[in-house]
Amino acid sequence: MYRTHNCGELRKKDIGKKVILSGWIQNIRNFGSLFFVDMRDYFGITQIILSKNLLKINNIIISLGKEFVIKIHGEVVERHSKNYNLNTGEIEIKVSKIEILNISIPLPFSIVNKTDGSEEDRMIYRYLDIRRSPIKNNLIIRHNISLMIRNFLSMKGFIEIETPVLIRHTSEGARNFVVPSRNHINKFYALPQSPQLFKQLLMIGGIDKYFQIVKCFRDEDARSDRQVEFTQVDCEMSFIDEKDILIFFETFIKFLFKKVKNIDLEPFPIISYFDSIKMYGTDSPDLRFGMKFFELNDLIQKKKIPFLIKQELIVGIKTKKCECCNTYNKINSILKNNINNERFFWIKHLSNKTFIFSNKSFLNEKVCFFITKHFKSDPGDLLFIVYGKKKESRSILHKIRSEIANHLNLKNNKEFKPLWIKDIPLFEWENNRYKSIHHPFTSPKEEDLHLLERNPENVRSKSYDLVINGIEIGSGSIRINKKNIQDIVFKHLGLSKEEIESNFSFFIKALTYGAPPHGGIAFGLDRLINLIEGGDDIKNFIAFPKNNYGKDVMVNSPSFLDNDKLNELHLRY
């Protein structure tokens, strides 16, 4: 028997019990004839006291070290110097027998909550990092949230169905990871970026509601909120429309926040893609702080302000009562390191008719008065204005808005502001061709169908993104369920009949067998958990993550294959 109890469960009521514990040595304090040891396992920490004599073998004292695995027999006694930060802090174990189950070499970093380990070391020795409570607890949180998701969706009539991992490569979307086939010479499988076509085929197959917590793979650059392999909560439903999806999954997200954080989220506003770009310069706006965009073109034309009158767009934001930024140098320092574009200026409203402002030839007290009046600015407010081409100007102002929010600590990670973005364009023009903004199977809006043949750039899609605090958490759409519409979409994407036949013939054929109206959504599980818990990196909620270069530095993958394996896979020519 390795243990009668774990290291997190003994309490004052257990005083006098004879117990056996097993675990790791977290810390050792040497008091001469006695050792005080913090003993840790998955469940917690218990202090044990052992006599130096217990470590004698043939009159030689056996050394103990951090992360040695030990088993002890002893009696639960009351602790004299209590530690109320521990659940077991009122008791300790007086050890009568100790057995060293395994030793540990010196550690690369401290196994404590606030470790001295670098991110690289923690990833190389991830199995040691998991011993730390923050990472262990994150994995427990992930398990609990995944279980809540499974139970919620199952209770609502969804069934979990696994879809294939080895699939066919297609050219649409992000880059696929490919897997060579040994038995089929010069042919390759691909790893799925999502189970998109398979979940649609399930709906065509008569399944009413499907979900899957599924691994997906994209061969693209990793970062703090993206991994080359990631997990998504994938859902699909038959006989539904956009409104049904938004209502149901708003309830789903509210359920998770209430269950996990006891937070009652307010109703999710719905903003069109075009309004989001116009008001915030992005399709993933953060609503925790204000600073909607003001357009000034009409004012500039009316007042005939030189230089600005020639600009395609003049757009700005107002930061209210920005008292910490009250000098020229302080205001300039907010953006100089992160916003390199020179096509913006600022105005600080000091009193009703006095200002400090950027060093621009077209700015003076009179111009500042006109602009601050247009913004309905009050003394203490700070304005930033960008000018130039429409798309570029809104993008720059979005970055400025985010930088100001960072500078003024307006991004409270305990506050959550979800919203839906919908009516996203079906296509975008990129590299002299049309490209699907979501994916090629997204349905156009009925009221835009008359534009699909000749004006595809003006067609809006029946798609929707869930954004929380400026982060895209979920994305989905109503799918195309009619072959003639799917054919037109493929044509605009530049796919030849041969490519369609080669890549999608099975799916096109399925659409001709009475495909029902259907749609769905997928949530990034790693991002969602990281957001709920106020984390700053999804890697902390993944057991064995890749680094920001897509490498697993613990097992050293990706790795080279030897010549024999390459020959077996027919990859050497």
Side-chain angles (χ1 to χ4, degrees):
M1 181 184 292
Y2 282 108
R3 57 190 179 192
T4 57
H5 299 77
N6 65 56
C7 293
E9 69 177 299
L10 294 170
R11 300 291 188 272
K12 202 170 181 178
K13 63 181 175 58
D14 298 304
I15 289 173
K17 285 184 179 178
K18 304 292 186 183
V19 298
I20 303 171
L21 302 180
S22 292
W24 289 266
I25 294 176
Q26 170 109 354
N27 198 21
I28 307 170
R29 297 176 296 281
N30 187 343
F31 287 86
S33 61
L34 292 176
F35 290 97
F36 286 79
V37 175
D38 293 333
M39 187 174 178
R40 184 196 71 245
D41 66 5
Y42 172 85
F43 302 95
I45 295 174
T46 297
Q47 179 170 281
I48 66 173
I49 310 168
L50 59 115
S51 166
K52 188 176 285 188
N53 290 331
L54 291 175
L55 298 175
K56 276 187 179 180
I57 296 180
N58 298 325
N59 290 321
I60 298 174
I61 299 293
I62 300 173
S63 295
L64 294 177
K66 289 184 178 182
E67 297 306 305
F68 277 35
V69 188
I70 60 173
K71 171 184 170 184
I72 60 104
H73 296 247
E75 180 183 349
V76 181
V77 298
E78 185 169 3
R79 183 167 171 171
H80 295 294
S81 178
K82 294 179 173 57
N83 181 354
Y84 293 105
N85 293 321
L86 291 177
N87 292 330
T88 60
E90 293 185 275
I91 59 95
E92 56 196 4
I93 311 299
K94 187 177 180 181
V95 177
S96 57
K97 180 181 177 183
I98 182 170
E99 180 181 349
I100 298 174
L101 300 177
N102 212 336
I103 64 171
S104 172
I105 62 175
L107 299 168
F109 53 83
S110 303
I111 312 296
V112 292
N113 288 356
K114 294 186 177 180
T115 183
D116 53 3
S118 67
E119 181 177 279
E120 183 175 7
D121 283 341
R122 288 172 49 221
M123 293 187 72
I124 292 172
Y125 301 96
R126 187 62 168 180
Y127 45 87
L128 295 180
D129 201 30
I130 291 171
R131 293 183 190 175
R132 297 192 309 114
S133 289
I135 301 300
K136 176 195 72 177
N137 291 338
N138 285 348
L139 297 180
I140 294 171
I141 289 166
R142 185 186 178 101
H143 161 75
N144 290 335
I145 292 176
S146 297
L147 191 60
M148 290 173 200
I149 290 169
R150 280 195 163 93
N151 289 339
F152 179 90
L153 293 174
S154 298
M155 290 292 290
K156 299 297 183 180
F158 287 74
I159 63 170
E160 186 168 14
I161 302 176
E162 293 181 349
T163 52
V165 174
L166 294 174
I167 64 170
R168 179 191 176 87
H169 172 266
T170 60
S171 57
E172 282 300 316
R175 295 185 189 92
N176 284 110
F177 284 99
V178 294
V179 181
S181 169
R182 177 180 58 83
N183 289 325
H184 304 279
I185 298 175
N186 296 335
K187 292 186 176 181
F188 295 81
Y189 301 103
L191 301 181
Q193 298 176 33
S194 83
Q196 183 61 47
L197 290 180
F198 291 101
K199 65 180 178 179
Q200 291 190 242
L201 291 168
L202 288 171
M203 299 301 104
I204 295 171
I207 300 298
D208 194 65
K209 297 183 181 75
Y210 139 97
F211 85 99
Q212 186 179 186
I213 299 179
V214 59
K215 277 284 189 184
C216 300
F217 308 85
R218 290 183 187 173
D219 188 6
E220 56 187 17
D221 295 338
R223 59 190 188 202
S224 63
D225 65 345
R226 176 188 293 167
Q227 288 269 294
V228 293
E229 61 172 308
F230 56 96
T231 305
Q232 67 183 36
V233 182
D234 202 57
C235 305
E236 198 80 3
M237 306 163 74
S238 287
F239 301 106
I240 44 82
D241 58 23
E242 288 175 274
K243 185 178 178 181
D244 298 323
I245 294 275
L246 269 55
I247 290 172
F248 179 84
F249 286 103
E250 179 171 327
T251 303
F252 167 71
I253 293 296
K254 285 179 174 177
F255 162 81
L256 288 181
F257 274 85
K258 181 65 175 177
K259 194 82 171 173
V260 177
K261 289 296 184 182
N262 196 29
I263 291 173
D264 293 304
L265 295 175
E266 296 178 356
F268 298 4
I270 300 172
I271 302 176
S272 76
Y273 171 88
F274 300 98
D275 284 343
S276 180
I277 296 296
K278 186 175 181 179
M279 290 189 295
Y280 301 104
T282 176
D283 58 359
S284 300
D286 192 334
L287 301 188
R288 284 175 293 177
F289 44 94
M291 295 191 283
K292 285 185 182 178
F293 291 7
F294 284 76
E295 293 189 11
L296 291 89
N297 286 60
D298 289 346
L299 173 73
I300 301 302
Q301 293 293 328
K302 182 179 178 181
K303 299 299 182 181
K304 294 183 169 47
I305 298 173
F307 179 73
L308 290 179
I309 201 170
K310 301 175 183 178
Q311 304 303 317
E312 185 174 294
L313 178 67
I314 306 99
V315 62
I317 54 174
K318 174 174 68 177
T319 305
K320 292 191 67 61
K321 302 297 181 185
C322 191
E323 303 298 346
C324 64
C325 303
N326 50 19
T327 69
Y328 187 93
N329 289 336
K330 281 184 178 179
I331 298 170
N332 269 345
S333 68
I334 297 175
L335 304 175
K336 68 177 184 180
N337 293 326
N338 297 303
I339 309 293
N340 296 321
N341 190 290
E342 291 295 323
R343 301 183 71 84
F344 70 86
F345 61 93
W346 54 262
I347 300 170
K348 173 71 177 185
H349 193 161
L350 296 178
S351 68
N352 287 338
K353 292 186 179 180
T354 63
F355 315 94
I356 54 175
F357 44 84
S358 296
N359 183 21
K360 297 284 186 180
S361 60
F362 53 82
L363 277 182
N364 54 47
E365 293 279 344
K366 186 177 180 181
V367 171
C368 290
F369 176 76
F370 292 146
I371 291 175
T372 54
K373 186 178 179 181
H374 180 80
F375 272 84
K376 297 180 181 178
S377 173
D378 296 316
D381 293 352
L382 177 61
L383 314 180
F384 283 89
I385 294 98
V386 179
Y387 52 88
K389 297 292 185 182
K390 287 183 179 180
K391 186 175 181 180
E392 181 186 26
S393 295
R394 288 194 174 103
S395 177
I396 293 167
L397 191 57
H398 162 62
K399 293 177 184 177
I400 291 173
R401 179 178 181 267
S402 184
E403 280 299 316
I404 293 169
N406 289 333
H407 185 80
L408 299 179
N409 296 315
L410 300 178
K411 296 182 178 180
N412 180 358
N413 64 8
K414 293 183 180 179
E415 181 183 11
F416 301 96
K417 293 288 186 180
L419 76 153
W420 291 106
I421 302 291
K422 58 174 294 188
D423 295 346
I424 299 162
L426 192 64
F427 300 107
E428 62 182 341
W429 186 257
E430 186 178 286
N431 298 326
N432 295 316
R433 62 183 288 261
Y434 284 118
K435 180 182 176 184
S436 296
I437 287 186
H438 263 212
H439 53 64
F441 316 104
T442 301
S443 177
K445 293 181 76 73
E446 279 85 356
E447 53 266 44
D448 290 353
L449 278 175
H450 66 285
L451 301 170
L452 185 59
E453 278 277 15
R454 298 191 177 183
N455 297 295
E457 66 277 7
N458 294 325
V459 176
R460 296 165 297 166
S461 67
K462 296 172 77 170
S463 60
Y464 31 82
D465 292 343
L466 177 65
V467 177
I468 305 178
N469 295 358
I471 301 168
E472 183 191 301
I473 295 299
S475 184
S477 67
I478 302 299
R479 323 303 187 187
I480 295 169
N481 71 316
K482 295 180 179 177
K483 178 181 179 298
N484 63 319
I485 296 176
Q486 189 66 72
D487 287 341
I488 296 170
V489 169
F490 279 153
K491 181 187 75 173
H492 285 314
L493 294 174
L495 298 179
S496 65
K497 288 184 179 180
E498 291 75 18
E499 287 174 309
I500 296 169
E501 177 66 25
S502 174
N503 292 329
F504 302 110
S505 60
F506 68 97
F507 181 69
I508 294 296
K509 185 180 291 184
L511 292 178
T512 66
Y513 287 100
H518 61 283
I521 193 168
F523 299 94
L525 183 63
D526 314 302
R527 283 187 186 181
L528 179 60
I529 295 172
N530 185 60
L531 175 79
I532 290 174
E533 292 300 316
D536 57 7
D537 196 325
I538 63 172
K539 290 194 287 291
N540 291 325
F541 293 89
I542 299 172
F544 298 101
K546 306 290 188 290
N547 68 12
N548 287 349
Y549 300 97
K551 293 183 65 176
D552 185 330
V553 292
M554 181 181 67
V555 301
N556 194 27
S557 72
S559 61
F560 293 105
L561 296 178
D562 60 32
N563 289 338
D564 288 344
K565 190 64 178 176
L566 291 171
N567 286 327
E568 183 182 349
L569 295 170
H570 316 289
L571 293 178
R572 293 186 70 83
Y573 300 99

